[in-house]
């Protein structure tokens, strides 16, 4: 491709992208392709001769697009959102144009210094105390692993990095039964063994019971194990439960445990001062992660990881082979030593574009709207015969199900709700997913797509309500 062609196709692509946003709501939210359908249409061998961009684009439209699930559809109410926004997309275009690999200050001073500045902004924007430093990671899963590795090295005076685990009593890690699967994965990768992950029971609101946490820590100490860290969730993936950070933090302090906070989705809500009750007790927290790539309109990937002791982080990960030595040394940040990977994308740029473009005010207004509309949706569900709310909804996710008054067999209720969800998604207008809470098949309704408005939530409710009534009539309950 020549520079002239790049310019020509680049202009065409921008038009394609703007049209996409105008039209995406008319596409099925969830792709309807069958397994193998896309790969079956792709040639088995890579082309030997160069191909025209027009031909590539035609196949993109023909083969790829129908196989895409549209996360930027205003009918997106599944999982959590993975939002983008216009300024974020434009910044990503610049990032890929510059094509910089930002592993150290020297390899792009502006990338490093912008990251330092926007992460300070972001920490302040969500109400973190000034003693936290931030670094962008790819995902919350990585940040949680990085946190537990740092905890391990601090607890062993960097001994495990040096000699491995030989002769050490096992470390134990604590989270709630509702915590994200990434914690178990991190425990496995960090070498603690998943048998040493303690899943503490939750209360009626699906939040960790701190009394049981303390009991478990004491039991483990008596057994000669070494309690290492607690991972508290602000906004669990199932029901967005908020663990009691203050009480958990006091227990961590008492027993000398590391405290990591997983606020992957809910962290964005902290932009609103009225939601900061969730971080009461932040003074006892060592590390904190949330994903601007979920709810804060920065497209995937961008995970904001904050640490109270950056020296601990750097000492855990630093490497300094001869070929990476620079004369600036430690006077500047070299983010290659703030996590697992060496090479790094210039992700701070899109964060900067988004924060400046929306302003704190614009971000707050959007997020407050999502939370408000979710509450309105929940009120509709509560008032509807044959529907039931299954968890508190402190944020913008509502957990509900159909519950016919005369049907009490939980198995049958579960089957009815699986059929309900299937039928909702078959409309192709909205997409919802499920979880299980106390064994109950639970439908989750997440409000938070970048362009979703109250009217979309209203339309979704009309669809959900009519399918629900239809099923109730058919099942004769
Ligand atoms: C989404 C989510 C994660 C995982 O996020 P990734 O960035 O995809 O690793 C972890 N914890 C919670 C609570 C989540 O909702």
């Amino acid at each position: 491709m020549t520079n002239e062609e790049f310019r020509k196709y680049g202009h065409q692509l921008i038009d394609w992208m703007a049209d996409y946003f105008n039209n995406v709501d008319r596409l099925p939210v969830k792709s309807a392709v069958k397994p193998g359908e896309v790969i079956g249409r792709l040639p088995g061998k890579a082309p030997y001769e160069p191909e025209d961009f027009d031909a590539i684009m035609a196949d993109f439209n023909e083969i790829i697009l129908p196989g895409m699930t549209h996360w930027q559809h205003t009918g997106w109410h599944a999982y959590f959102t993975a939002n983008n926004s216009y300024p974020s997309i434009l910044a990503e275009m610049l990032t890929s144009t510059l094509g910089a690999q930002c592993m150290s200050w020297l390899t792009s001073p502006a990338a490093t210094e912008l990251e330092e500045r926007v992460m300070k902004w972001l920490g302040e924007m969500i109400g973190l105390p000034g003693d936290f430093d931030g670094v962008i990671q790819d995902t919350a899963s990585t940040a949680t692993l990085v946190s537990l590795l740092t905890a391990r090295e601090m607890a062993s005076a960097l001994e495990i990095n040096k000699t491995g685990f030989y002769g050490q009593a096992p470390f134990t890690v604590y989270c709630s039964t509702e915590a994200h699967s990434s914690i178990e994965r991190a425990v496995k990768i960090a070498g603690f063994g998943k048998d040493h992950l303690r899943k503490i029971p939750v209360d009626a609101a699906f939040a960790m019971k701190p009394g049981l946490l303390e009991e478990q820590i004491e039991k483990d100490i008596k057994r000669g194990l070494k309690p290492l860290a607690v991972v508290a969730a602000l906004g669990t993936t199932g029901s967005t439960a908020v663990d009691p950070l203050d009480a958990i933090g006091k227990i961590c302090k008492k027993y000398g445990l590391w405290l990591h906070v997983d606020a992957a989705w809910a962290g964005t809500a902290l932009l609103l001062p009225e939601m900061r009750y969730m971080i009461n007790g932040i003074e006892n927290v060592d590390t904190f992660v949330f994903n601007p790539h979920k709810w804060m309109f920065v497209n995937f990937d961008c995970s904001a990881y904050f640490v109270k002791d950056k020296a601990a982080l750097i000492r855990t990960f630093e490497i300094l082979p001869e070929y990476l030595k620079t004369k600036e040394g430690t006077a500047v940040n070299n983010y290659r030593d703030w996590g697992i990977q060496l090479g790094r994308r210039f992700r701070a740029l899109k964060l900067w574009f988004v924060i400046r473009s929306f302003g704190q005010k614009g971000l707050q207004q959007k997020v407050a709207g999502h939370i408000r509309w979710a509450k309105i949706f929940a009120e509709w569900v509560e008032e509807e015969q044959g529907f039931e709310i299954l968890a508190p909804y402190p944020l913008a996710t509502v957990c509900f199900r159909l519950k016919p008054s005369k049907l009490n067999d939980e198995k049958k209720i579960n089957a009815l709700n699986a059929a309900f969800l299937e039928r909702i998604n078959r409309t192709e207008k909205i997409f919802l997913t499920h979880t299980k809470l106390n064994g109950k098949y639970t439908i989750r309704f997440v409000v938070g797509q970048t362009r979703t408005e109250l009217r979309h939530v209203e339309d979704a409710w009309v669809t959900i309500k009519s399918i629900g009534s239809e099923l109730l009539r058919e099942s004769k309950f």
Side-chain angles (χ1 to χ4, degrees):
M1 191 179 284
T2 64
N3 185 275
E4 271 313 300
E5 286 169 331
F6 171 70
R7 187 185 304 277
K8 178 181 137 197
Y9 291 124
H11 282 289
Q12 283 179 14
L13 269 198
I14 286 287
D15 284 336
W16 189 98
M17 289 153 77
D19 289 342
Y20 175 77
F21 285 105
N22 283 337
N23 297 326
V24 60
D25 289 353
R26 287 193 280 273
L27 300 175
V29 197
K30 180 173 154 297
S31 171
V33 296
K34 308 260 169 330
E37 208 173 309
V38 175
I39 200 166
R41 297 187 64 190
L42 300 168
K45 291 233 186 297
Y48 186 71
E49 295 295 334
E51 296 190 73
D52 281 346
F53 191 75
D54 287 325
I56 301 171
M57 235 2 237
D59 284 346
F60 170 79
N61 283 312
E62 274 276 304
I63 303 170
I64 305 301
L65 205 58
M68 293 306 295
T69 288
H70 298 286
W71 289 68
Q72 310 311 318
H73 194 298
T74 52
W76 184 272
H77 303 288
Y79 307 104
F80 281 135
T81 50
N83 290 332
N84 66 17
S85 62
Y86 297 128
S88 178
I89 296 166
L90 295 174
E92 276 284 22
M93 289 167 63
L94 291 177
T95 291
S96 50
T97 301
L98 295 168
Q101 201 276 56
C102 308
M103 59 184 170
S104 55
W105 181 87
L106 178 93
T107 63
S108 271
T112 297
E113 294 186 11
L114 183 66
E115 182 160 339
E116 183 174 342
R117 179 59 78 214
V118 291
M119 289 302 284
K120 270 286 173 202
W121 284 3
L122 190 59
E124 205 176 296
M125 284 163 62
I126 61 167
L128 293 184
D131 54 355
F132 278 92
D133 285 289
V135 56
I136 302 176
Q137 304 280 349
D138 52 8
T139 59
S141 303
T142 300
T144 294
L145 173 60
V146 164
S147 172
L148 291 182
L149 290 171
T150 310
R152 186 190 79 184
E153 290 313 301
M154 290 306 105
S156 71
L158 298 159
E159 197 50 37
I160 295 170
N161 263 351
K162 191 158 159 251
T163 60
F165 275 107
Y166 301 108
Q168 304 256 3
F171 286 119
T172 48
V173 175
Y174 306 79
C175 64
S176 88
T177 51
E178 290 290 316
H180 191 265
S181 54
S182 57
I183 293 143
E184 181 165 318
R185 184 181 279 174
V187 161
K188 290 196 279 189
I189 300 172
F192 306 138
K194 80 175 174 145
D195 289 354
H196 298 116
L197 175 63
R198 308 289 188 235
K199 293 186 181 166
I200 306 300
V202 292
D203 61 18
F206 304 100
M208 186 193 288
K209 284 182 162 169
L212 295 185
L213 169 68
E214 184 161 7
E215 269 178 32
Q216 185 64 50
I217 292 172
E218 294 218 333
K219 252 192 235 164
D220 289 333
I221 294 172
K222 279 203 193 102
R223 278 190 206 137
L225 305 172
K226 289 195 292 191
L228 175 71
V230 177
V231 180
L234 302 187
T236 57
T237 315
S239 73
T240 68
V242 178
D243 285 342
L245 196 57
D246 196 33
I248 293 171
K250 285 184 177 131
I251 295 167
C252 288
K253 191 135 204 241
K254 179 170 166 193
Y255 295 91
L257 268 66
W258 182 267
L259 178 53
H260 173 59
V261 173
D262 175 7
W265 154 261
T268 295
L270 296 170
L271 290 167
L272 303 170
E274 64 269 28
M275 300 306 291
R276 307 246 170 99
Y277 69 86
M278 293 195 291
I279 50 167
N280 278 344
I282 189 75
E283 63 279 2
N284 290 321
V285 169
D286 292 288
T287 57
F288 179 101
V289 65
F290 91 101
N291 287 344
H293 72 225
K294 277 186 165 164
W295 194 2
M296 217 186 89
F297 321 112
V298 179
N299 61 292
F300 192 84
D301 53 350
C302 180
S303 187
Y305 179 54
F306 293 95
V307 302
K308 188 157 299 152
D309 181 1
K310 71 174 178 187
L313 173 65
I314 295 166
R315 288 174 71 204
T316 300
F317 289 95
E318 88 189 322
I319 40 156
L320 198 55
E322 191 55 34
Y323 51 81
L324 289 178
K325 286 185 184 153
T326 60
K327 70 175 178 355
E328 291 79 20
T330 52
V332 294
N333 286 344
N334 289 306
Y335 287 122
R336 62 158 190 263
D337 289 333
W338 293 53
I340 294 167
Q341 63 196 88
L342 171 66
R344 306 180 79 250
R345 302 179 64 233
F346 186 8
R347 284 178 293 228
L349 194 68
K350 59 188 171 184
L351 195 52
W352 190 50
F353 272 42
V354 167
I355 293 171
R356 291 186 62 184
S357 243
F358 283 82
Q360 294 192 57
K361 183 175 156 195
L363 293 171
Q364 287 175 339
Q365 281 171 348
K366 270 211 169 291
V367 171
H370 295 152
I371 294 173
R372 210 163 51 239
W373 305 331
K375 291 206 174 4
I376 293 173
F377 178 88
E379 283 160 20
W380 292 331
V381 174
E382 265 168 3
E383 284 162 17
E384 191 65 28
Q385 276 281 325
F387 282 68
E388 175 180 61
I389 295 278
L390 292 175
Y393 40 89
L395 295 150
T397 299
V398 182
C399 292
F400 69 99
R401 68 172 182 175
L402 276 184
K403 168 67 181 74
S405 56
K406 285 187 225 123
L407 184 60
N408 289 310
D409 180 335
E410 283 295 335
K411 255 195 167 146
K412 285 191 182 149
I413 301 172
N414 282 355
L416 177 72
N417 279 284
F420 184 27
L421 181 62
E422 170 77 29
R423 229 182 256 196
I424 292 169
N425 289 338
R426 227 187 290 147
T427 64
E428 301 188 336
K429 288 194 283 191
I430 50 177
F431 182 31
L432 283 68
T433 49
H434 82 282
T435 187
K436 275 214 171 143
L437 295 173
N438 289 329
K440 295 174 183 171
Y441 192 98
T442 302
I443 301 177
R444 296 164 71 263
F445 186 81
V446 179
V447 183
Q449 213 295 311
T450 312
R451 293 169 312 110
T452 294
E453 300 284 345
L454 178 58
R455 67 192 164 90
H456 300 111
V457 175
E458 285 166 349
D459 289 349
W461 173 239
V462 169
T463 303
I464 292 166
K465 186 172 108 173
S466 81
I467 294 173
S469 317
E470 195 179 279
L471 263 174
L472 291 173
R473 273 197 309 276
E474 281 173 28
S475 61
K476 301 190 180 61
F477 290 113

